[in-house]
Amino acid sequence: GRLPCATALSRVTRADAPADGSRAVWFGGAIGRLEVPVVGRSALRTPAVGPLLAEEFDTTTVVPPGWSARLDEQHSIVLEHVA
């Protein structure tokens, strides 16, 4: 049979949502577990230094300690080592 037509997804995504507080993340034995902020992807228009989680509707990007994250001109997330 035929599948019913799916309705279009809203353009409002988690990237547009405000930060969701924080979450515990395990960074391995040398660093251990840290409580890190959770931000929407669009927050990376301003570069941010990890540790942090950048969330959107279909993925989560982990920015470890010693790394920064930003959006480039094509809105891709760019991670750069800073320490």
Side-chain angles (χ1 to χ4, degrees):
R2 296 188 69 190
L3 295 174
C5 293
T7 57
L9 293 175
S10 167
R11 294 295 299 163
V12 176
T13 66
R14 290 205 59 132
D16 301 315
D20 290 331
S22 64
R23 191 174 312 149
V25 178
W26 177 257
F27 288 101
I31 296 173
R33 178 179 163 162
L34 299 175
E35 194 73 21
V36 303
V38 178
V39 301
R41 179 190 178 105
S42 62
L44 298 179
R45 289 181 187 126
T46 301
V49 176
L52 65 92
L53 298 175
E55 287 193 334
E56 48 192 312
F57 76 97
D58 63 348
T59 194
T60 300
T61 302
V62 178
V63 182
W67 289 77
S68 68
R70 64 179 173 83
L71 294 180
D72 67 9
E73 298 79 24
Q74 290 78 36
H75 302 283
S76 298
I77 297 176
V78 177
L79 297 176
E80 298 173 308
H81 194 252
V82 295

XYZ file of all heavy atoms in Angstrom:
613
model
N 0.812 -1.181 0.000
C 0.000 0.000 0.000
C 0.858 1.247 0.000
O 2.079 1.204 -0.005
N 0.176 2.334 0.025
C 0.848 3.640 0.028
C 0.961 4.173 1.441
O 0.061 3.987 2.255
C 0.065 4.623 -0.823
C 0.039 4.207 -2.284
C -0.570 5.265 -3.127
N 0.358 6.386 -3.146
C 0.070 7.582 -3.630
N -1.111 7.820 -4.137
N 0.955 8.553 -3.621
N 2.051 4.821 1.702
C 2.236 5.478 2.988
C 1.545 6.828 2.950
O 1.542 7.498 1.917
C 3.720 5.669 3.286
C 4.543 4.397 3.477
C 6.013 4.745 3.628
C 4.061 3.636 4.689
N 0.964 7.243 4.045
C 0.359 8.571 4.065
C 1.434 9.639 3.938
O 2.590 9.428 4.314
C -0.333 8.632 5.427
C 0.332 7.593 6.251
C 0.838 6.536 5.291
N 1.062 10.762 3.364
C 2.013 11.870 3.212
C 2.385 12.413 4.581
O 1.533 12.599 5.441
C 1.394 12.996 2.381
S 1.107 12.523 0.682
N 3.651 12.629 4.761
C 4.127 13.221 6.012
C 3.943 14.721 5.947
O 4.090 15.343 4.905
C 5.600 12.884 6.217
N 3.609 15.309 7.069
C 3.503 16.758 7.108
C 4.898 17.342 7.190
O 5.832 16.709 7.692
C 2.672 17.219 8.317
O 3.281 16.714 9.500
C 1.242 16.720 8.222
N 5.063 18.526 6.680
C 6.378 19.181 6.684
C 6.797 19.478 8.120
O 5.973 19.845 8.957
C 6.315 20.470 5.868
N 8.061 19.293 8.384
C 8.594 19.623 9.700
C 8.679 21.128 9.865
O 8.985 21.857 8.928
C 9.996 19.028 9.875
C 10.086 17.517 9.932
C 11.540 17.093 9.977
C 9.353 16.990 11.148
N 8.423 21.573 11.032
C 8.536 22.994 11.327
C 9.994 23.417 11.214
O 10.908 22.665 11.534
C 8.038 23.253 12.753
O 8.397 24.538 13.171
N 10.219 24.626 10.760
C 11.581 25.149 10.674
C 12.107 25.532 12.053
O 13.267 25.835 12.210
C 11.635 26.362 9.743
C 11.327 26.044 8.304
C 12.342 25.136 7.671
N 13.646 25.744 7.663
C 14.773 25.103 7.472
N 14.762 23.818 7.253
N 15.924 25.721 7.484
N 11.271 25.559 13.047
C 11.729 25.822 14.404
C 12.330 24.531 14.928
O 11.667 23.510 14.984
C 10.574 26.292 15.311
C 11.066 26.465 16.737
C 9.967 27.566 14.773
N 13.592 24.569 15.249
C 14.301 23.380 15.714
C 14.923 23.662 17.067
O 14.891 24.784 17.571
C 15.416 22.996 14.722
O 16.394 24.033 14.733
C 14.868 22.796 13.319
N 15.540 22.648 17.618
C 16.259 22.852 18.881
C 17.372 23.871 18.704
O 17.815 24.472 19.661
C 16.823 21.525 19.370
C 15.701 20.611 19.842
C 16.225 19.643 20.811
N 16.787 20.349 21.927
C 16.524 20.058 23.182
N 15.722 19.106 23.478
N 17.099 20.721 24.162
N 17.849 24.053 17.474
C 18.894 25.057 17.243
C 18.398 26.433 17.616
O 19.168 27.312 17.965
C 19.330 25.034 15.781
N 17.086 26.650 17.540
C 16.503 27.938 17.857
C 16.020 28.009 19.301
O 15.579 29.049 19.758
C 15.322 28.211 16.921
C 15.765 28.194 15.465
O 16.813 28.787 15.160
O 15.070 27.567 14.655
N 16.065 26.890 19.985
C 15.559 26.833 21.346
C 16.575 27.415 22.324
O 17.776 27.408 22.064
C 15.260 25.387 21.725
N 16.102 27.912 23.438
C 17.045 28.405 24.442
C 17.827 27.256 25.060
O 17.466 26.095 24.908
C 16.137 29.073 25.484
C 14.814 28.439 25.294
C 14.723 28.045 23.845
N 18.878 27.595 25.782
C 19.713 26.585 26.439
C 18.864 25.749 27.392
O 17.907 26.229 27.982
C 20.846 27.271 27.198
N 19.217 24.486 27.507
C 18.472 23.557 28.342
C 19.145 23.302 29.684
O 18.983 22.239 30.239
C 18.317 22.223 27.604
C 17.376 22.318 26.426
O 16.462 23.141 26.465
O 17.578 21.551 25.478
N 19.935 24.219 30.166
C 20.576 24.006 31.453
C 21.903 23.310 31.318
O 22.782 23.767 30.599
N 22.038 22.154 31.987
C 23.317 21.446 31.957
C 23.064 19.947 31.994
O 21.963 19.488 32.280
C 24.188 21.873 33.138
O 23.576 21.497 34.354
N 24.132 19.206 31.709
C 24.067 17.746 31.700
C 25.435 17.205 32.092
O 26.466 17.781 31.761
C 23.702 17.263 30.304
C 23.362 15.797 30.269
C 22.858 15.312 28.930
N 21.813 16.185 28.398
C 21.618 16.388 27.108
N 22.375 15.797 26.212
N 20.659 17.168 26.689
N 25.452 16.065 32.758
C 26.706 15.411 33.124
C 27.260 14.668 31.914
O 26.526 13.982 31.214
C 26.486 14.451 34.283
N 28.564 14.845 31.660
C 29.227 14.207 30.519
C 30.530 13.574 31.020
O 31.282 14.194 31.772
C 29.542 15.233 29.401
C 30.278 14.571 28.239
C 28.274 15.913 28.923
N 30.803 12.347 30.571
C 32.041 11.638 30.922
C 33.087 11.924 29.852
O 32.879 11.651 28.677
C 31.771 10.142 31.024
C 32.995 9.324 31.305
C 33.695 8.567 30.421
C 33.671 9.198 32.553
N 34.763 7.973 31.040
C 34.777 8.353 32.356
C 33.452 9.737 33.820
C 35.644 8.012 33.378
C 34.332 9.389 34.834
C 35.409 8.548 34.614
N 34.248 12.468 30.246
C 35.331 12.808 29.323
C 36.544 11.899 29.489
O 37.652 12.268 29.126
C 35.752 14.269 29.500
C 34.742 15.240 28.968
C 33.871 15.891 29.822
C 34.650 15.498 27.605
C 32.935 16.787 29.333
C 33.714 16.386 27.102
C 32.853 17.033 27.974
N 36.368 10.723 30.019
C 37.472 9.782 30.175
C 38.118 9.901 31.547
O 37.864 10.829 32.309
N 38.991 8.936 31.835
C 39.604 8.845 33.154
C 40.425 10.049 33.579
O 40.451 10.398 34.753
N 41.102 10.704 32.638
C 41.958 11.845 32.989
C 41.148 13.057 33.443
O 41.601 13.826 34.281
C 42.839 12.222 31.798
N 39.956 13.207 32.906
C 39.123 14.373 33.241
C 37.947 13.970 34.116
O 37.598 14.654 35.060
C 38.623 15.074 31.961
C 39.820 15.634 31.189
C 37.633 16.178 32.288
C 39.479 16.203 29.826
N 37.327 12.847 33.781
C 36.193 12.374 34.557
C 34.879 12.968 34.097
O 34.725 13.394 32.961
N 33.946 12.992 35.021
C 32.594 13.468 34.740
C 32.485 14.948 35.087
O 32.854 15.361 36.177
C 31.618 12.656 35.581
C 30.187 13.048 35.440
C 29.347 12.151 36.315
N 28.044 12.747 36.500
C 26.994 12.089 36.905
N 27.094 10.819 37.207
N 25.844 12.689 37.034
N 31.968 15.727 34.143
C 31.768 17.157 34.349
C 30.323 17.527 34.055
O 29.706 16.977 33.149
C 32.669 17.976 33.417
C 34.176 17.811 33.541
C 34.881 18.624 32.455
C 34.636 18.235 34.928
N 29.799 18.457 34.792
C 28.494 19.037 34.500
C 28.752 20.163 33.501
O 29.501 21.098 33.787
C 27.874 19.584 35.792
C 26.425 19.907 35.690
C 25.538 18.664 35.629
O 25.947 17.565 36.052
O 24.410 18.821 35.134
N 28.182 20.057 32.305
C 28.485 21.021 31.245
C 27.202 21.711 30.775
O 26.114 21.129 30.818
C 29.199 20.364 30.043
C 30.489 19.680 30.490
C 28.306 19.377 29.332
N 27.313 22.957 30.308
C 26.129 23.654 29.800
C 25.648 23.042 28.493
O 26.436 22.503 27.715
C 26.612 25.089 29.591
C 28.090 25.017 29.518
C 28.511 23.791 30.280
N 24.346 23.133 28.256
C 23.732 22.695 27.012
C 23.196 23.947 26.316
O 22.454 24.724 26.913
C 22.577 21.699 27.271
C 21.922 21.285 25.966
C 23.080 20.491 28.034
N 23.623 24.141 25.063
C 23.189 25.309 24.300
C 22.559 24.856 22.987
O 22.848 23.767 22.495
C 24.357 26.286 24.005
C 24.995 26.770 25.306
C 25.405 25.650 23.111
N 21.727 25.686 22.411
C 21.224 25.430 21.072
C 22.303 25.745 20.057
O 23.193 26.572 20.313
N 22.262 25.097 18.910
C 23.272 25.294 17.863
C 23.444 26.770 17.503
O 24.557 27.238 17.296
C 22.872 24.497 16.620
C 23.826 24.637 15.468
C 23.226 24.020 14.199
N 24.116 24.200 13.090
C 24.863 23.259 12.568
N 24.834 22.040 13.057
N 25.648 23.518 11.547
N 22.355 27.508 17.434
C 22.437 28.917 17.030
C 23.245 29.758 18.008
O 23.764 30.809 17.639
C 21.044 29.510 16.840
O 20.322 29.477 18.056
N 23.406 29.293 19.248
C 24.223 30.018 20.228
C 25.686 30.080 19.798
O 26.438 30.941 20.255
C 24.109 29.372 21.602
N 26.082 29.183 18.883
C 27.484 29.136 18.444
C 27.790 30.210 17.398
O 28.889 30.255 16.860
C 27.846 27.744 17.926
C 27.725 26.629 18.967
C 28.073 25.292 18.347
C 28.573 26.912 20.186
N 26.830 31.093 17.109
C 27.134 32.265 16.271
C 28.208 33.100 16.968
O 28.997 33.763 16.319
C 25.881 33.094 16.046
C 24.886 32.420 15.142
C 23.660 33.297 14.915
N 22.663 32.565 14.175
C 21.410 32.407 14.565
N 20.995 32.958 15.694
N 20.572 31.724 13.831
N 28.180 33.028 18.300
C 29.245 33.615 19.122
C 30.112 32.445 19.573
O 29.600 31.505 20.186
C 28.656 34.320 20.356
O 27.762 35.331 19.917
C 29.752 34.917 21.216
N 31.419 32.459 19.259
C 32.276 31.325 19.654
C 32.173 31.032 21.151
O 32.026 31.942 21.968
C 33.681 31.802 19.282
C 33.458 32.782 18.174
C 32.168 33.483 18.534
N 32.218 29.753 21.487
C 32.123 29.308 22.871
C 33.224 28.300 23.150
O 33.566 27.492 22.291
C 30.758 28.672 23.116
N 33.757 28.339 24.357
C 34.825 27.437 24.768
C 34.218 26.299 25.586
O 33.384 26.533 26.472
C 35.897 28.191 25.589
C 36.970 27.237 26.096
C 36.523 29.282 24.739
N 34.644 25.059 25.263
C 34.160 23.886 25.970
C 34.739 23.762 27.355
O 35.659 24.501 27.705
N 34.179 22.888 28.143
C 33.252 21.856 27.727
C 31.810 22.373 27.621
O 31.385 23.195 28.426
C 33.366 20.808 28.826
C 33.719 21.588 30.054
C 34.574 22.727 29.557
N 31.096 21.864 26.599
C 29.682 22.155 26.428
C 29.067 21.180 25.445
O 29.781 20.468 24.744
C 29.456 23.595 25.960
C 29.984 24.001 24.584
C 28.919 23.817 23.516
C 30.389 25.467 24.620
N 27.750 21.147 25.422
C 26.990 20.375 24.445
C 26.188 21.358 23.613
O 25.537 22.244 24.166
C 26.032 19.398 25.132
C 26.645 18.310 26.007
C 25.536 17.519 26.700
C 27.524 17.392 25.190
N 26.243 21.210 22.289
C 25.423 22.011 21.386
C 24.363 21.083 20.802
O 24.703 20.101 20.142
C 26.273 22.628 20.289
N 23.103 21.368 21.065
C 22.029 20.486 20.622
C 21.236 21.083 19.485
O 21.078 22.297 19.386
C 21.065 20.202 21.780
C 21.614 19.276 22.810
C 20.550 18.776 23.754
O 19.532 19.470 23.946
O 20.742 17.690 24.306
N 20.744 20.211 18.627
C 19.753 20.558 17.626
C 18.783 19.389 17.537
O 18.939 18.420 18.275
C 20.406 20.894 16.290
C 21.446 19.914 15.810
C 22.250 20.461 14.654
O 21.659 20.985 13.699
O 23.476 20.370 14.710
N 17.789 19.447 16.684
C 16.723 18.441 16.724
C 17.193 17.024 16.437
O 16.597 16.068 16.911
C 15.571 18.825 15.798
C 15.850 18.596 14.333
C 15.413 17.448 13.708
C 16.548 19.523 13.594
C 15.660 17.233 12.361
C 16.816 19.310 12.257
C 16.370 18.169 11.643
N 18.278 16.852 15.670
C 18.682 15.500 15.287
C 20.089 15.104 15.698
O 20.547 14.022 15.348
C 18.525 15.307 13.777
C 19.419 16.231 12.968
O 20.001 17.171 13.543
O 19.535 16.022 11.752
N 20.790 15.953 16.426
C 22.158 15.606 16.825
C 22.602 16.442 18.018
O 22.031 17.491 18.307
C 23.137 15.781 15.651
O 24.374 15.143 15.973
C 23.398 17.230 15.337
N 23.621 15.953 18.685
C 24.276 16.688 19.770
C 25.761 16.705 19.472
O 26.351 15.673 19.177
C 24.026 16.003 21.131
O 22.623 15.958 21.370
C 24.726 16.746 22.263
N 26.370 17.884 19.532
C 27.808 18.028 19.317
C 28.478 18.221 20.668
O 28.088 19.111 21.429
C 28.120 19.214 18.383
O 27.457 19.007 17.140
C 29.619 19.364 18.159
N 29.478 17.397 20.957
C 30.246 17.505 22.199
C 31.461 18.373 21.934
O 32.255 18.091 21.035
C 30.691 16.112 22.701
C 31.535 16.246 23.965
C 29.489 15.211 22.924
N 31.606 19.426 22.725
C 32.787 20.285 22.654
C 33.576 20.014 23.935
O 33.183 20.444 25.022
C 32.411 21.778 22.538
C 33.662 22.632 22.406
C 31.459 22.003 21.359
N 34.685 19.269 23.825
C 35.437 18.882 25.022
C 36.211 20.060 25.637
O 36.399 21.087 24.985
C 36.408 17.825 24.511
C 36.238 17.720 23.048
C 35.220 18.700 22.606
N 36.688 19.870 26.856
C 37.549 20.887 27.451
C 38.757 21.140 26.547
O 39.288 20.215 25.926
C 38.000 20.252 28.779
C 36.960 19.224 29.082
C 36.494 18.726 27.743
N 39.177 22.390 26.448
C 40.329 22.733 25.620
C 39.988 22.950 24.159
O 40.887 23.103 23.332
N 38.715 22.938 23.810
C 38.269 23.166 22.438
C 37.240 24.283 22.419
O 36.543 24.514 23.397
C 37.652 21.900 21.856
C 38.668 20.833 21.589
C 39.256 20.020 22.518
C 39.237 20.490 20.331
N 40.149 19.172 21.900
C 40.151 19.445 20.560
C 39.053 20.948 19.032
C 40.889 18.859 19.542
C 39.781 20.356 18.015
C 40.687 19.333 18.275
N 37.150 24.973 21.291
C 36.106 25.972 21.106
C 35.235 25.556 19.926
O 35.649 24.751 19.086
C 36.709 27.359 20.858
O 37.355 27.400 19.605
N 34.042 26.112 19.880
C 33.108 25.821 18.786
C 32.508 27.130 18.295
O 32.278 28.053 19.077
C 32.010 24.887 19.263
N 32.274 27.184 16.973
C 31.637 28.352 16.367
C 30.963 27.916 15.083
O 31.249 26.842 14.551
C 32.660 29.442 16.064
C 33.699 29.023 15.030
C 34.697 30.135 14.717
N 35.753 29.649 13.855
C 35.664 29.555 12.515
N 34.546 29.916 11.904
N 36.671 29.102 11.799
N 30.055 28.758 14.594
C 29.444 28.515 13.290
C 30.221 29.304 12.249
O 30.539 30.469 12.452
C 27.979 28.971 13.287
C 27.028 28.197 14.182
C 25.618 28.774 14.074
C 27.016 26.721 13.833
N 30.524 28.660 11.118
C 31.198 29.379 10.031
C 30.159 30.010 9.103
O 28.954 30.002 9.401
C 32.178 28.466 9.284
C 31.511 27.353 8.499
O 30.269 27.346 8.354
O 32.249 26.469 8.014
N 30.614 30.540 7.984
C 29.739 31.252 7.053
C 28.647 30.351 6.460
O 27.585 30.822 6.068
C 30.556 31.878 5.909
C 31.570 32.916 6.359
C 32.846 32.300 6.932
O 33.186 31.135 6.614
O 33.496 32.979 7.746
N 28.900 29.058 6.377
C 27.911 28.110 5.849
C 27.068 27.488 6.975
O 26.312 26.562 6.748
C 28.598 26.990 5.054
C 29.192 27.436 3.734
C 30.523 28.153 3.905
O 31.324 27.806 4.768
N 30.740 29.163 3.099
N 27.243 27.980 8.191
C 26.530 27.510 9.390
C 26.944 26.109 9.817
O 26.203 25.415 10.502
C 25.018 27.616 9.207
C 24.576 29.008 8.910
N 24.488 29.976 9.869
C 24.257 29.595 7.733
C 24.120 31.108 9.308
N 23.973 30.908 8.011
N 28.143 25.687 9.410
C 28.715 24.432 9.909
C 29.377 24.701 11.251
O 29.913 25.787 11.477
C 29.769 23.901 8.924
O 29.196 23.622 7.684
N 29.370 23.706 12.128
C 30.047 23.858 13.414
C 31.529 23.573 13.196
O 31.899 22.528 12.658
C 29.462 22.909 14.475
C 27.997 23.261 14.734
C 30.291 22.968 15.750
C 27.306 22.320 15.696
N 32.366 24.502 13.630
C 33.815 24.365 13.516
C 34.371 24.242 14.933
O 34.138 25.103 15.785
C 34.434 25.595 12.809
C 35.955 25.477 12.773
C 33.859 25.758 11.421
N 35.117 23.154 15.176
C 35.800 22.961 16.469
C 37.269 23.277 16.287
O 37.883 22.838 15.309
C 35.635 21.526 16.950
C 34.220 21.067 17.253
C 34.219 19.580 17.633
C 33.614 21.885 18.355
N 37.825 24.016 17.226
C 39.248 24.373 17.186
C 39.879 24.127 18.535
O 39.293 24.479 19.567
C 39.411 25.835 16.774
C 38.865 26.117 15.390
C 38.869 27.584 15.021
O 38.347 28.397 15.808
O 39.397 27.907 13.945
N 41.058 23.521 18.518
C 41.799 23.259 19.754
C 42.350 24.576 20.283
O 42.994 25.321 19.541
C 42.930 22.262 19.484
C 43.512 21.689 20.719
N 44.770 22.042 21.166
C 43.020 20.810 21.614
C 45.013 21.392 22.285
N 43.977 20.636 22.567
N 42.110 24.864 21.559
C 42.558 26.135 22.137
C 43.535 25.975 23.288
O 44.077 26.951 23.767
C 41.365 27.015 22.603
C 40.532 27.438 21.420
C 40.529 26.312 23.656
N 43.733 24.738 23.756
C 44.655 24.564 24.887
C 45.642 23.457 24.603
O 45.445 22.597 23.834
C 43.880 24.228 26.153
